[in-house]
Amino acid sequence: MVKYPTGSLTNYNADHTDLLKLNKHYHKKNIIFSDRGMSLEQQINESNKYYLTQNIAVVHKKPTPIQIVKVDYPKRSRAVIKEAYFRQASTTDYNGVYKGRYLDFEAKETRNRTAFPLKNFHEHQITHLDQCLQQNGICFTIIRFVSLNKYFITPASFIIKAWNDKAKKSLTLKEIEHNSYEIKSGFRPTLPYLDIVDKFIQDGK
C-alpha cells in the first residue's frame, strides 16, 4: 500500500525547485519501501493483479487440493476445519498465459546469503517443469535472497540440470547470478518478471 502526503501541493507556498525536491523525496521513498513487509508470494500476487487489470497477462497462483476430513460448527454461520490433508502433491506455484505462451513457475525464498539449497525443490516439481518445457512452455523460478534483497529469474532448464546432479546440494549465489536475470522490486508491478519473460520469448526459449 502506498501512502501519499495529506497536504495539497496547491497550498504549498514554495518555488519550483522546492516542489521538485519534495516530489523526488516521496518518489524515492516509494521505491525503497515498496517491498517492505511483503513476502515473495505477496509481491508476485500483487504483480499478477496489475498484469490482469492492465490486460497484459493472466497468471494465477495454483490452488492446493485439500481433502477435508472433519468440520466443527460452533455457530450456525461459521464452520471450523479440524482435520484435513493434501489430496495430492502440488506441482509449481503459478501458471498462466502471456502473449499466447504458457507460463509455469515456482517461487522460492532463502535467507542464506551465499547459496540456494536445492532441497527446496521436490522431485515432482522438477518433473512437472521438465514436462512443461517439453510442451514449449516458458518455465522458470523466481528466487529471492531475503537478506540481500535480491531477486532472480532463473530458467527451469538450469534448475533441472543442477537438481539432477546428485552430487550437487546447492547453487552458489555466483552460479545463480551467471545463469539468471536479476530484477528489482518496484511499484506497478511490484516485481516486473514479465520483462524477463519477453527476453525468453525473444531468445526462442
Side-chain angles (χ1 to χ4, degrees):
M1 179 176 66
V2 179
K3 294 183 178 179
Y4 293 92
T6 55
S8 173
L9 287 179
T10 57
N11 296 324
Y12 184 74
N13 186 17
D15 61 21
H16 183 66
T17 302
D18 288 337
L19 291 176
L20 288 176
K21 288 180 180 179
L22 183 63
N23 181 63
K24 183 178 180 182
H25 169 71
Y26 283 111
H27 181 65
K28 184 177 180 181
K29 282 185 67 177
N30 287 339
I31 293 176
I32 293 174
F33 296 110
S34 60
D35 62 350
R36 173 164 287 189
M38 296 179 69
S39 68
L40 178 58
E41 180 179 312
Q42 289 173 318
Q43 289 176 281
I44 295 174
N45 290 345
E46 287 295 319
S47 300
N48 289 341
K49 287 180 183 178
Y50 170 78
Y51 288 138
L52 184 63
T53 57
Q54 297 300 310
N55 199 30
I56 296 173
V58 179
V59 182
H60 293 289
K61 182 172 174 59
K62 299 178 187 177
T64 302
I66 295 177
Q67 178 67 50
I68 298 174
V69 177
K70 183 180 179 181
V71 181
D72 283 351
Y73 296 90
K75 296 181 180 179
R76 287 187 177 182
S77 61
R78 183 179 175 187
V80 178
I81 298 174
K82 290 294 186 179
E83 184 178 349
Y85 62 88
F86 295 115
R87 294 173 58 183
Q88 62 189 53
S90 61
T91 52
T92 47
D93 290 327
Y94 296 89
N95 68 345
V97 181
Y98 173 61
K99 292 184 176 179
R101 296 293 298 274
Y102 174 74
L103 305 183
D104 202 294
F105 62 94
E106 180 73 6
K108 299 291 187 184
E109 292 183 283
T110 180
R111 293 192 176 277
N112 192 311
R113 300 176 67 89
T114 60
F116 177 79
L118 287 170
K119 66 180 181 180
N120 287 350
F121 284 97
H122 302 288
E123 184 174 3
H124 64 271
Q125 293 176 323
I126 297 297
T127 299
H128 175 75
L129 288 170
D130 189 39
Q131 290 171 339
C132 290
L133 285 176
Q134 291 179 35
Q135 298 300 322
N136 202 33
I138 298 177
C139 306
F140 53 93
T141 296
I142 300 180
I143 300 176
R144 179 190 184 191
F145 282 80
V146 178
S147 300
L148 302 176
N149 197 32
K150 286 181 173 287
Y151 303 80
F152 297 96
I153 309 294
T154 307
S157 55
F158 175 69
I159 296 292
I160 293 169
K161 182 178 179 181
W163 195 89
N164 286 330
D165 183 353
K166 300 305 180 184
K168 199 170 188 61
K169 301 302 181 185
S170 64
L171 293 170
T172 66
L173 176 59
K174 184 170 292 186
E175 285 178 309
I176 292 176
E177 289 174 334
H178 288 171
N179 293 278
S180 307
Y181 294 92
E182 184 173 357
I183 60 174
K184 303 292 185 180
S185 63
F187 177 65
R188 294 178 62 84
T190 310
L191 285 179
Y193 67 87
L194 287 185
D195 292 350
I196 306 306
V197 174
D198 283 333
K199 294 181 182 295
F200 291 159
I201 295 174
Q202 183 179 347
D203 295 341
K205 295 182 178 180

